Structure formats: C-alpha cells, structure tokens
C-alpha cells in the first residue's frame, strides 16, 4: 500500500502542487502523509491529506518527494511517517513496499553506530545509503548495492538535501515516470499526474533511475543504461462527488450506466479480446486469481462458467501456492486496481509455470493489465470509495458475458433495485443495532453471501459472516439466538435455502430475505427476475445498499473505512 509521488522541475512549484498529486494517491492509504523538498522542508502529519491540504504552509521548491502511508511496520505515529532520513538528515526516502530483511540490515547498521528514529522497515534505506557513501561509494553505487542485498518489495524515491536530483528504484511495487513540460513527475501510478501529462515510462523490476531537472537515466541493477521510450495513455474522466453524500452511494447508483457501457464495449471495441479469451477458456482449465471482493466476483464467475460447461475454479491470490497451474491453465486475474500485490505474486508464479495469463481489471495501464496476454477492462470508471461496488457488479457481468450468456436486461434490473433503495434504507436502521449478522447462500448465492458479509464488515464494522446455508447446521447455528439477523438469499424458493433459513428461524433469528418470490420472514427484498444469474448479480447490489445504509445509520466514515486502503500493494 502507500503512495509515493515526486516532482523535479526547472521552475519552482509549491508544496500544494506536490500534495495535490499525492492526494490523488490517497486511495493507497491514509494513515499519515509527509513530504520533503530540496529547500530542506520536512513536513509530516497523521491523518489523510484531504483533511490537511488547505492548512499546510506554502513553500516553493524545485525538487520534492512525498508519501501517503498505510502502516505495515510500526504504528501510526509521526516518527513512522515518511519521508525517513539518515543520522545526518542528508538523505530523505519515501517507500512503498516491504523490505523483508530489514531486521538483518538494521542490526548491521546499528552495530556501526546508526541511530534509528522509527520502527519502520523503510528507515534502513537512508541509513544504508549513508553508511555506504561514508565508506566511499557514490550514491548510485550504494543504490546498486541496496538492490543487490535487499529482499522484499519496493518503489523508492530518494533525494539529497539541497540537491536537485531524485534517485528512484523499484522491485515489484509499481513506479512510473511522467514527462512534464519543465521536468519530471514520478509516482506509484499514473493517476498521480494524469492531470499534468500523459507521457510515461513504466519501470521494470530491479531498475533504478537518476533524474535531474533536464534529463533522466534508467539503469538495470548492474548500472547498464536502459533505453526506454515514453508511451502515451488516455484516461477516463475524473469523478467528483457532485450532490451525493458519499462516493459509495454515487458508485452504486452508477451501476446501470456502467453496465451499459461495459456491454457496449464488450460488443464492440473489446470484442476481439473477448473472442480470444472465450476460445482459450474452451480448451483450458480456468483458474481465477483474486482477493476480497474481486475474489467473490470470481467465485460467482466460476458458477457461471461451469454452467456453460467450462472447467473453472477460483483461488484467493495469497493462497495461490496451493494450486497447480500449467500450460493448459488459463489464469484469469480479477482486480479493480490491477495493482494488488497478492495477485501480482500469484501471476508471477503462474507465468513461471507457463500458464496463459489473462485479466479483468478496471484501472487501465495497471501492472496486472500489463502482465496479461489478454485483458478485459470493465469500464466502470474511477471507483473512489474503498469498498468496491460498481466494479464488483461489472466483474461479475464481464465473466457472465464470457460464459456466452445474455446480459442485456441486467441494466434494467439494477435500475429497479436502485429505485427501491429507500426500502433498504428503512431496514438498515434495524440492522445497524445488530452485533452479528449472518448471510446465507447456496451455490451462486454463497459467493454473494461472502460478498455481502464483507461489505457489511468493512464499512459498518458489524461482525458479519457469509456462509454456505447447508453448512450452518454443522456448527455455526450454535451462535443463532433470538433476534439475530440472518440475511438469506433465496432464488425461486430453493428448498435447501428455505430449510436452512427455517432452521435459524426456529432458533429465533430475524430473517431478511433477498429473493425473487416473497418469503414470510421479518423483511423481504424482492428482485423481479426469473433469470438466476442476473438475480444473483442484482442481489450484490441489494447487499451493497444494505451495507451502505447500515454504515450510514452508524455514522461510519463510509468512503475511507478504518485500517483499509483501496489498493493493497503489499503482501
Ligand atoms: C473491496 O470492497 C475491498 N476493499 C477489497 O476486498 C478489494 O476487493 C481487494 O483488496 C482486491 O482489490 P483489487 O480488486 O484492486 O485487486
């Protein structure tokens, strides 16, 4: 997680300009932020940039580096906020990733008299550079040495006090250089500077760069200069809140339009890609690799593909090591951000075993898209709320489309669900009083049960468990007491679902049914669809609205829930 952003320009820029770029990376973490400039300024704050940007004293500089943090090593404190520096405050470093052998490096540096001020893994970097420069190496050679002996992942920007140079290095964590009229921007992703330039160079692993106000060089880990051409990218329009209270509700309401855009694109500009992936998956085993909500879309997708006679499975990316892929496997990574480290690591392993790599992403030009032979973009537009909603619906729809099913009526169905959002709002005023919520589903409904429970947990902070309905009686039913809410996803009066639901009701549970035929529980939400697959996609939207209104009733910070980040770029 964490976002890094640096600028080096011929004419001075304000700290506000630097922070505006950093603010665009805030979705990568918002525990704390900080920046350093060539004029000696070093500023750090706990909390998110948005809350401080107007209060920061303005200063001007020609070189600056900045960081927005999602804490991994060390608590959320000023000392642990980036930039970090060496003993003499000569080198300043911002870092995204994890230096896995930092304890070993730190002990070595401590034994040489270095004094550490933070509990972070990052702080070893400036001390390491200081130590090796003291012993006679150039800064560049010290960087090469660091790349050689460090383990783990990093995108690092380093600057020297009073100097107009930015050094950068990268392994696994993303890093991209942007060309500006009077200098360069460098960041975790292109979004940081997509309002300034669309000419970029993506770094590959174990490369480093030396950038001054007029020029730059990119080198491999042996110091050999690499020639890389700038590429240009196009970017979707930027989103703003408009009259909505939260991005989450705006993004849910956008779902029908986003689905219409997706279907158009799959039928037209992405038609060839769809055809190629469809041919691949007919003759190969499909293995979806994803995390969180994208995993739940994949799980739903496996049912869609199996129904179409395609052999499909889904694995949580961080558990990929337990799966065997080979040249007969088509690994499909599903990811909103296209930057999730667990997914990237799984794809690296899949690539090593000669599997074909495809992906379904939302953010264009992302690492996962660039790692794939074929990639479908779900065209949901920017998703700003940390909790994924319109992208989940788009991912599920894209997989359903790949299975050959018709999805033209999905847009109308989602419209009809959203029109009834006040019904859901009312019931959520009840649900928000719960300590625990159980969500039950079967088959496709199980994926939805997991997704709805995740949505409730991440934004309302109520404990929720998404379960296979038939599994409940094998243990978890012990937790059902009078008044415990059970959300049951029942399509066409499915007998197994009804039995499991009744079993909880017999123990006093309050039943909240998401169904297409009324169920006599405490509350029903009826989705008007006889199409099983579309019903389950629409049930996701109902669950998103339940989570939203429950969190709203509790006054939670819906778009930026505690401890989370939109893009999870560490293992
Ligand atoms: C979504 O609501 C979650 N915040 C999270 O589970 C997310 O889906 C997961 O981290 C995967 O992210 P990705 O789609 O960007 O790969």
């Amino acid at each position: 997680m964490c976002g890094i952003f640096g600028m080096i320009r011929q004419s001075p820029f304000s700290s506000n300009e630097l922070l505006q770029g950093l603010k665009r990376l805030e979705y990568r973490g918002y525990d704390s932020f900080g920046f350093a400039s060539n004029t000696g300024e070093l500023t750090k704050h706990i909390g998110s940039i948005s809350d401080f940007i107007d209060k920061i004293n303005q200063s001007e500089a020609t070189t600056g580096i900045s960081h927005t943090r999602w804490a991994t090593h060390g608590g959320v404190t000023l000392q642990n906020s980036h930039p970090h520096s060496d003993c003499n405050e000569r080198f300043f470093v911002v870092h995204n990733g994890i230096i896995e052998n930092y304890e070993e490096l730190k002990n070595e540096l401590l034994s040489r008299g270095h004094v550490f001020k933070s509990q972070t893994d990052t702080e070893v970097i400036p001390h390491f550079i200081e130590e090796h420069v003291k012993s006679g190496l150039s800064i560049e050679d010290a960087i090469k040495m660091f790349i050689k002996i460090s383990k783990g992942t990093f995108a690092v920007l380093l600057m020297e006090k009073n100097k107009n140079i930015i050094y950068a290095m990268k392994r696994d964590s993303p890093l991209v250089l942007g060309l500006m009229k009077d200098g360069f921007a460098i960041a975790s992703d292109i979004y940081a500077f997509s309002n300034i330039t669309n000419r970029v160079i993506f770094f590959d692993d174990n490369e480093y760069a030396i950038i001054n106000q007029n020029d730059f060089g990119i080198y491999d880990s042996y110091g050999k200069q690499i020639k890389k051409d700038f590429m240009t990218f196009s970017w979707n329009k930027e989103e703003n809140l408009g009259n909505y209270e939260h991005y989450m509700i705006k993004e849910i309401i956008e779902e029908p339009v986003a689905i219409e855009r997706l279907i158009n694109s799959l039928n037209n500009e992405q038609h060839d890609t769809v055809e190629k992936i469809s041919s691949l998956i007919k003759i190969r085993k499909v293995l979806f690799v994803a995390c969180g909500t994208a995993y739940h879309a994949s799980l739903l997708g496996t049912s869609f593909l199996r129904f179409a006679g395609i052999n499909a499975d889904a694995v949580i990316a961080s558990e990929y090591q337990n799966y065997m892929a080979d040249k007969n496997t088509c690994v499909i990574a599903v990811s909103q951000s296209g930057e999730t480290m667990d997914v990237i690591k799984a794809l690296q392993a899949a690539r090593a075993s000669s599997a074909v790599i495809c992906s379904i992403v939302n953010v264009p030009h992302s690492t996962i898209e660039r790692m794939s032979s074929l990639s479908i973009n779900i065209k949901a537009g920017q998703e700003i709320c940390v909790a994924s909603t319109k992208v989940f619906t788009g991912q599920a729809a894209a997989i359903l489309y790949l299975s050959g099913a018709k999805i033209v009526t999905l847009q109308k169905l989602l419209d009809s669900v959203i029109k009834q959002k006040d019904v859901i709002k009312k019931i959520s005023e009840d649900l928000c009083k719960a300590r625990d919520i159980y969500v039950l589903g079967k088959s496709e409904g199980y994926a939805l049960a997991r997704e709805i429970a995740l949505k409730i947990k991440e934004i309302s902070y109520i404990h929720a468990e998404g379960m296979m309905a038939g599994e409940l009686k094998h243990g978890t039913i012990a937790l059902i007491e009078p008044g415990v809410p059970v959300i049951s996803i029942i399509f066409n009066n499915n007998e197994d679902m009804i039995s499991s639901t009744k079993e909880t009701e017999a123990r006093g549970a309050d039943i909240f049914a998401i169904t297409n035929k009324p169920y006599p529980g405490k509350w029903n939400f009826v989705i008007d669809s006889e199409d099983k697959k579309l019903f389950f996609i629409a049930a996701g939207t109902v669950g998103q609205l339940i989570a939203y209104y429950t969190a709203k009733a509790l006054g939670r910070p819906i778009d930026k829930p505690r401890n989370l980040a939109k893009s999870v770029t560490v293992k």
Side-chain angles (χ1 to χ4, degrees), residues 368-388:
I368 291 172
E369 184 186 283
R370 286 181 286 116
M371 286 177 85
S372 314
S373 307
L374 293 162
S375 185
I376 290 178
N377 191 289
I378 62 152
K379 305 269 170 191
Q382 210 187 338
E383 191 180 62
I384 291 175
C385 175
V386 164
S388 185

Side-chain angles (χ1 to χ4, degrees), residues 248-262 383 388-394 410-411 414-415 417-418 537-538 540-542 544-545:
M248 183 170 180
I249 189 68
K250 174 176 185 278
E251 288 161 3
I252 296 172
I253 289 173
E254 276 168 10
E255 286 181 16
V257 175
I259 288 298
E260 187 187 16
R261 190 165 51 228
L262 172 65
E383 191 180 62
S388 185
T389 53
K390 62 176 177 175
V391 168
F392 169 81
T393 307
L410 179 59
Q411 185 197 350
L414 295 175
D415 254 331
V417 166
I418 290 164
I537 298 182
T541 306
V542 177
Q544 293 161 2
L545 288 165

Side-chain angles (χ1 to χ4, degrees), residues 275-288:
E275 288 289 293
K276 285 181 187 151
I277 299 181
S278 301
S279 315
L280 272 175
I281 63 180
K282 279 186 192 124
I283 50 165
R284 284 182 170 77
K285 181 183 161 59
V286 173
L287 185 59
F288 288 107

Side-chain angles (χ1 to χ4, degrees), residues 290-295 334-340 343 368 383 386-389 391 395 451 454-455 458 564-568:
C291 303
T293 287
Y295 170 72
V334 182
S335 173
Q336 188 287 128
S337 62
E339 298 294 349
T340 301
V343 180
I368 291 172
E383 191 180 62
V386 164
S388 185
T389 53
V391 168
Q395 289 163 337
E451 172 55 13
L454 177 67
K455 220 77 309 160
E458 67 181 327
L564 297 180
K566 183 81 182 150
S567 185
V568 185

Side-chain angles (χ1 to χ4, degrees), residues 22-33 47-53 68-70 241 245-248 251 384-388 457-461 548 551 555-566:
L22 187 66
K23 185 165 171 267
R24 297 162 73 88
L25 298 179
E26 206 175 46
Y27 70 89
R28 303 175 76 94
Y30 36 81
D31 286 335
S32 67
F33 70 96
S48 75
I49 305 150
S50 310
D51 297 338
F52 281 95
I53 196 156
T68 182
R69 180 168 189 245
W70 184 84
L241 203 47
E245 197 177 343
H246 299 103
Y247 278 105
M248 183 170 180
E251 288 161 3
I384 291 175
C385 175
V386 164
S388 185
K457 280 186 279 199
E458 67 181 327
I459 60 162
S460 76
Y461 312 155
Y548 174 75
R556 305 294 191 221
I558 291 177
D559 288 332
K560 283 188 198 154
R562 68 183 177 209
N563 304 340
L564 297 180
K566 183 81 182 150

Side-chain angles (χ1 to χ4, degrees), residues 219-429:
Y219 307 87
D220 69 14
S221 56
Y222 301 102
K224 184 168 165 265
Q225 187 156 8
I226 304 165
K227 183 164 168 27
K228 289 190 169 216
D229 292 325
F230 278 95
M231 59 169 273
T232 53
F233 67 88
S234 56
W235 194 261
N236 293 337
K237 83 168 177 53
E238 282 179 33
E239 303 295 342
N240 57 53
L241 203 47
N243 292 327
Y244 293 98
E245 197 177 343
H246 299 103
Y247 278 105
M248 183 170 180
I249 189 68
K250 174 176 185 278
E251 288 161 3
I252 296 172
I253 289 173
E254 276 168 10
E255 286 181 16
V257 175
I259 288 298
E260 187 187 16
R261 190 165 51 228
L262 172 65
I263 297 173
N264 270 336
S265 165
L266 296 175
N267 283 334
N268 295 294
E269 45 159 332
Q270 299 198 82
H271 180 73
D272 275 2
T273 310
V274 170
E275 288 289 293
K276 285 181 187 151
I277 299 181
S278 301
S279 315
L280 272 175
I281 63 180
K282 279 186 192 124
I283 50 165
R284 284 182 170 77
K285 181 183 161 59
V286 173
L287 185 59
F288 288 107
V289 177
C291 303
T293 287
Y295 170 72
H296 300 145
S298 306
L299 206 54
L300 182 59
T302 57
S303 304
F304 294 161
L305 293 192
R306 285 179 197 161
F307 189 78
I310 296 163
N311 184 355
D313 232 321
V315 56
I316 290 188
S318 55
E319 291 293 319
Y320 180 83
Q321 69 277 10
N322 297 330
Y323 281 74
M324 307 278 280
D326 58 22
K327 64 180 176 24
N328 297 315
T329 315
C330 177
V331 169
I332 305 184
V334 182
S335 173
Q336 188 287 128
S337 62
E339 298 294 349
T340 301
M341 184 55 75
D342 287 334
V343 180
I344 291 171
K345 286 283 166 196
L347 290 188
Q348 287 170 348
R351 197 157 55 185
S353 56
S354 305
V356 180
I357 313 279
C358 297
S359 59
I360 298 174
V361 298
N362 188 44
V363 176
H365 318 290
S366 56
T367 303
I368 291 172
E369 184 186 283
R370 286 181 286 116
M371 286 177 85
S372 314
S373 307
L374 293 162
S375 185
I376 290 178
N377 191 289
I378 62 152
K379 305 269 170 191
Q382 210 187 338
E383 191 180 62
I384 291 175
C385 175
V386 164
S388 185
T389 53
K390 62 176 177 175
V391 168
F392 169 81
T393 307
Q395 289 163 337
I399 301 172
L400 184 56
Y401 187 94
L402 271 180
S403 78
K406 298 266 169 295
I407 54 172
V408 273
T409 54
L410 179 59
Q411 185 197 350
K412 252 175 99 183
L413 189 61
L414 295 175
D415 254 331
S416 72
V417 166
I418 290 164
K419 278 204 181 92
Q420 298 175 72
K421 61 184 190 317
D422 286 345
V423 177
I424 299 174
K425 184 174 177 198
K426 187 128 195 47
I427 198 59
S428 299
E429 280 154 19

Side-chain angles (χ1 to χ4, degrees), residues 8-10 178-185 211-214:
I8 178 158
R9 293 167 66 167
Q10 287 146 14
L179 177 70
M180 297 158 77
K181 278 201 193 97
D182 64 339
F184 302 94
I211 309 154
N212 64 37
Q213 288 163 294
N214 308 302

